Amino acid sequence: MNSPNTIGNMPANPAYLDSMIRTMLSMVEAQDAYTAAHQRNVSNLACMVANQLGWNAMRIEGLRFAALIHDIGKISIPSQILHKPTMLSELEFKFIKMHCITGSNIVENIESPWPLARIILEHHERLDGSGYPYGIKGDSILLESQVLSVADVVDAIIMHRPYRPAIGMDAAISEIENHKNTAFNGDVVEVCTRILKNNLQ
């Protein structure tokens, strides 16, 4: 087995990983510009939150990489579902939910100092067990995944979606605050809310 600091025979240095991650992001953009833009937005917000939480630069870098490709599993989803102009059916939503597993499988063989595959797998899990794909809860969810999940929800609400217009910043803040300490990590919500409100001023 390769050491944790190698990718195949190549050192797992940040510059090489950055190039690989951006190539994967470009693959997503070629299929779905919305998802690529969403991933960039989520990465920026998640890293701002992590910085305010006092994480060191190395840990934030791992979160940045994971966030930039957290929806890469959506490349397996037909465009007629991704871009459907109406609400998804129950069956279509079940198909969408698989993107966490698919994305994790895509990156699981990328050896790095960070658990990228696990962060991607868990980004729709919730502390109270109401998330997916496995309904795990509490401290069983990586803190990186908890930060990513909040940033992901915020951007999904703020951005225009194929089936609805953008809802707005106030709605995004209300959503995460209403689920603070239940679905979402309370400390993460407090920091994220502060960042969002400062951007409104």
Side-chain angles (χ1 to χ4, degrees):
M1 181 175 178
N2 296 324
S3 77
N5 297 315
T6 63
I7 304 174
N9 295 319
M10 190 170 293
N13 61 71
Y16 177 75
L17 277 173
D18 186 73
S19 177
M20 177 181 289
I21 296 299
R22 292 195 178 278
T23 297
M24 297 171 79
L25 181 59
S26 296
M27 290 168 56
V28 174
E29 191 164 29
Q31 184 201 34
D32 181 14
Y34 161 79
T35 296
H38 167 70
Q39 291 183 134
R40 291 189 182 95
N41 293 343
V42 170
S43 181
N44 289 338
L45 179 55
C47 289
M48 284 191 283
V49 170
N51 182 62
Q52 290 293 311
L53 288 170
W55 293 13
N56 63 44
M58 182 71 170
R59 191 176 188 183
I60 294 173
E61 188 77 335
L63 177 62
R64 181 176 75 87
F65 284 143
L68 279 171
I69 55 169
H70 72 272
D71 277 340
I72 192 169
K74 289 184 177 179
I75 64 174
S76 68
I77 299 172
S79 61
Q80 60 265 34
I81 295 179
L82 277 180
H83 304 131
K84 186 178 178 181
T86 57
M87 293 295 291
L88 298 173
S89 69
E90 184 177 347
L91 181 61
E92 288 167 335
F93 187 52
K94 285 181 179 178
F95 196 66
I96 287 280
K97 286 181 176 180
M98 292 298 296
H99 80 276
C100 304
I101 297 173
T102 303
S104 179
N105 289 341
I106 288 171
V107 305
E108 67 179 352
N109 291 322
I110 299 177
E111 302 234 16
S112 81
W114 308 283
L116 302 179
R118 183 176 169 188
I119 298 169
I120 290 170
L121 179 67
E122 294 178 349
H123 79 273
H124 279 289
E125 299 288 3
R126 300 292 183 257
L127 295 184
D128 57 7
S130 64
Y132 63 85
Y134 297 123
I136 60 177
K137 61 176 66 175
D139 291 338
S140 296
I141 306 169
L142 284 177
L143 186 53
E144 283 83 351
S145 308
Q146 296 177 38
V147 172
L148 179 54
S149 70
V150 171
D152 183 52
V153 165
V154 166
D155 191 69
I157 293 173
I158 291 172
M159 283 190 75
H160 170 82
R161 307 301 291 267
Y163 55 87
R164 62 147 173 83
I167 299 176
M169 187 75 76
D170 289 341
I173 291 172
S174 293
E175 176 66 18
I176 59 175
E177 287 190 332
N178 287 343
H179 296 91
K180 175 182 172 183
N181 293 320
T182 53
F184 303 123
N185 180 295
D187 293 336
V188 173
V189 169
E190 287 183 7
V191 170
C192 187
T193 298
R194 184 166 64 245
I195 290 170
L196 296 174
K197 287 181 176 179
N198 286 342
N199 286 340
L200 286 173
Q201 296 175 356

